[in-house]
Amino acid sequence: MKTLFLFLLLPLGVMAQYADKDPQVQALTFAPNNYDQVRNNNIYYSNWSTINPVKDNKVHTVTIYLGSKKGKRKEIDVKTFDDQGRIIQRKSKWETVTFSYTDSLLTETTSVKGKNQSATRYHYDEQDRMIGLERLKNGKLVMKYRFEYFEEFKRSLVEQTIYKQKATVYTLKTEYDALLKKPTSVVYLINGKPEKTWNYDCKEQGELVEKPTEEISSQCAFEQENNDGSYSKFVRSIENGKTYLLQRNYSADSLFLGFQRFFNDTVLIERQINTDTETVVEHFSEKGKPKTKYVYQVDVNGNRIGYESYNRRNKLVYFEKLTYNERNLITESKLGKKWQHTFEYTFY
């Protein structure tokens, strides 16, 4: 379960091989992937374990209602699943989305919203890896992605083309060491022109070989093992003239325990701590002052049962409480002080 915490909760800069706040770089870094079709199949939130409540309970439809203080309720969303636990339609007052599959792979989603219709079409290679997609609005191509792979699901190229008056092509190219199977550099290009490079050429203990510039950033990785078998993975990077150190912590049996991220190696700016029942994520300024804190709570089956958000003064500003039945199906959610949802099911 802790491994899934890493995937779901890590901040953007932590999950990437490098950190960059440019929204276009982020769009390439977190481009669509094979996991998208799994995420679509949730009733409400992702389950943080291997449990699949939809498939396990043969759910056909789930209707979500919004309650009011007067006891009235209004239907806001209906999700329909096939007998394999895959979503095939999501319908609300404003929009209807349909999902199409070939074998086990999501191949198209279509959205109808008033007079507008949009679609996304997915393409895969012989290894079932996503190699491209197109997005259309009212039949007109507005954007497409193209992907190439080094091995397995490690991408060597992510290319996004956006069609407006002129087409603009944004690209991330990753070079790998064929023997070590690790990236050696990443180049960000716009219309074929290099805009920025991340250099992974390192000495021992993560010392940076070259002095980075505004166009070239560096990142180095190294590991440290403790006497009890637990270990940490470190990444030292320089971005836009600033030095950061990321430390990911693992137990002796490789369960992800959390991370810390430091500015100038000493000032804590991000922290995540995982336990069996909750994950706490905290953010601090580069002067070490608190900014925000988020607490995610789960039950023994991996169901998300609570969420709390705090401001820099550690004051609670938002919360969620979720209730499940004995079949791990969500029955009620309370979102802050105003909103309450209830859920009704039909089954195959």
Side-chain angles (χ1 to χ4, degrees):
M1 183 169 68
K2 292 187 179 73
T3 302
L4 289 178
F5 275 100
L6 168 65
F7 188 82
L8 292 167
L9 299 178
L10 276 184
L12 299 183
V14 176
M15 288 183 62
Q17 295 174 343
Y18 40 82
D20 196 288
K21 295 182 180 179
D22 185 324
Q24 188 56 53
V25 174
Q26 293 292 344
L28 296 171
T29 306
F30 301 99
N33 56 60
N34 285 60
Y35 180 73
D36 290 354
Q37 55 194 326
V38 178
R39 186 168 51 244
N40 287 329
N41 295 332
N42 299 316
I43 295 173
Y44 200 59
Y45 286 128
S46 298
N47 186 287
W48 294 357
S49 74
T50 57
I51 293 174
N52 184 339
V54 173
K55 187 174 183 179
D56 293 347
N57 292 286
K58 297 184 179 180
V59 172
H60 184 200
T61 65
V62 55
T63 304
I64 305 175
Y65 297 92
L66 175 65
S68 68
K69 293 182 179 180
K70 296 181 179 180
K72 296 182 179 181
R73 65 178 190 174
K74 181 172 70 172
E75 179 183 301
I76 60 171
D77 204 4
V78 179
K79 294 183 178 182
T80 304
F81 302 88
D82 65 13
D83 57 5
Q84 299 181 54
R86 302 176 303 190
I87 189 168
I88 56 176
Q89 186 182 82
R90 186 177 71 243
K91 186 175 183 180
S92 69
K93 179 180 178 181
W94 305 275
E95 181 183 25
T96 298
V97 183
T98 57
F99 302 79
S100 301
Y101 302 86
T102 298
D103 297 326
S104 62
L105 298 172
L106 176 67
T107 53
E108 184 173 13
T109 62
T110 303
S111 169
V112 178
K113 193 173 183 179
K115 297 181 179 180
N116 295 315
Q117 179 172 313
S118 59
T120 302
R121 298 169 182 166
Y122 302 87
H123 306 283
Y124 305 87
D125 64 11
E126 64 280 358
Q127 299 181 50
D128 291 342
R129 300 177 300 191
M130 188 182 297
I131 56 173
L133 66 84
E134 298 97 29
R135 289 182 179 161
L136 301 92
K137 185 174 182 180
N138 295 325
K140 182 179 179 181
L141 182 65
V142 294
M143 187 269 288
K144 71 177 182 180
Y145 275 101
R146 183 170 69 89
F147 309 116
E148 294 179 1
Y149 294 85
F150 166 65
E151 66 170 11
E152 296 179 342
F153 285 89
K154 294 180 180 179
R155 285 176 173 171
S156 58
L157 180 139
V158 178
E159 181 182 274
Q160 181 191 44
T161 305
I162 297 178
Y163 298 92
K164 293 184 179 179
Q165 291 182 341
K166 293 183 178 180
T168 305
V169 182
Y170 303 94
T171 309
L172 277 184
K173 288 186 176 180
T174 304
E175 298 291 335
Y176 289 87
D177 184 299
L179 182 62
L180 299 177
K181 312 294 185 183
K182 293 182 178 181
T184 57
S185 67
V186 175
V187 181
Y188 170 53
L189 307 96
I190 301 178
N191 290 331
K193 179 182 177 181
E195 296 289 330
K196 193 168 185 177
T197 300
W198 289 264
N199 181 1
Y200 301 151
D201 189 13
C202 308
K203 298 179 182 178
E204 294 183 3
Q205 297 303 307
E207 294 177 337
L208 304 174
V209 172
E210 297 182 11
K211 183 178 180 180
T213 65
E214 290 186 2
E215 291 77 28
I216 300 178
S217 295
S218 292
Q219 182 184 90
C220 296
F222 58 102
E223 295 188 19
Q224 175 180 298
E225 187 170 344
N226 303 315
N227 293 332
D228 62 357
S230 63
Y231 60 96
S232 298
K233 293 184 177 182
F234 295 86
V235 176
R236 179 174 285 115
S237 60
I238 294 183
E239 290 289 335
N240 300 320
K242 294 183 177 182
T243 303
Y244 299 94
L245 178 66
L246 171 66
Q247 176 182 345
R248 296 187 181 98
N249 302 314
Y250 298 84
S251 67
D253 52 356
S254 297
L255 291 177
F256 177 66
L257 303 176
F259 74 87
Q260 296 90 38
R261 190 164 184 251
F262 300 90
F263 172 60
N264 281 340
D265 282 17
T266 57
V267 182
L268 181 66
I269 57 174
E270 292 179 82
R271 175 169 59 195
Q272 176 174 316
I273 300 174
N274 295 340
T275 68
D276 290 336
T277 58
E278 71 176 19
T279 286
V280 179
V281 181
E282 297 177 276
H283 300 272
F284 305 87
S285 71
E286 293 182 352
K287 294 183 178 180
K289 295 183 178 180
K291 293 174 63 177
T292 56
K293 182 173 73 172
Y294 307 100
V295 181
Y296 301 81
Q297 301 159 338
V298 297
D299 63 17
V300 294
N301 294 316
N303 298 312
R304 177 167 157 178
I305 59 174
Y307 166 76
E308 297 170 350
S309 173
Y310 297 84
N311 63 16
R312 61 187 177 88
R313 296 185 176 87
N314 204 33
K315 179 181 178 181
L316 181 66
V317 294
Y318 179 74
F319 69 90
E320 296 179 6
K321 293 185 180 297
L322 300 93
T323 304
Y324 298 79
N325 62 21
E326 68 281 356
R327 302 167 71 177
N328 292 307
L329 295 173
I330 185 171
T331 57
E332 183 180 81
S333 67
K334 294 182 179 179
L335 313 179
K337 298 180 179 180
K338 295 183 178 180
W339 306 101
Q340 179 173 324
H341 293 155
T342 55
F343 301 76
E344 290 187 358
Y345 299 88
T346 64
F347 304 92
Y348 283 100

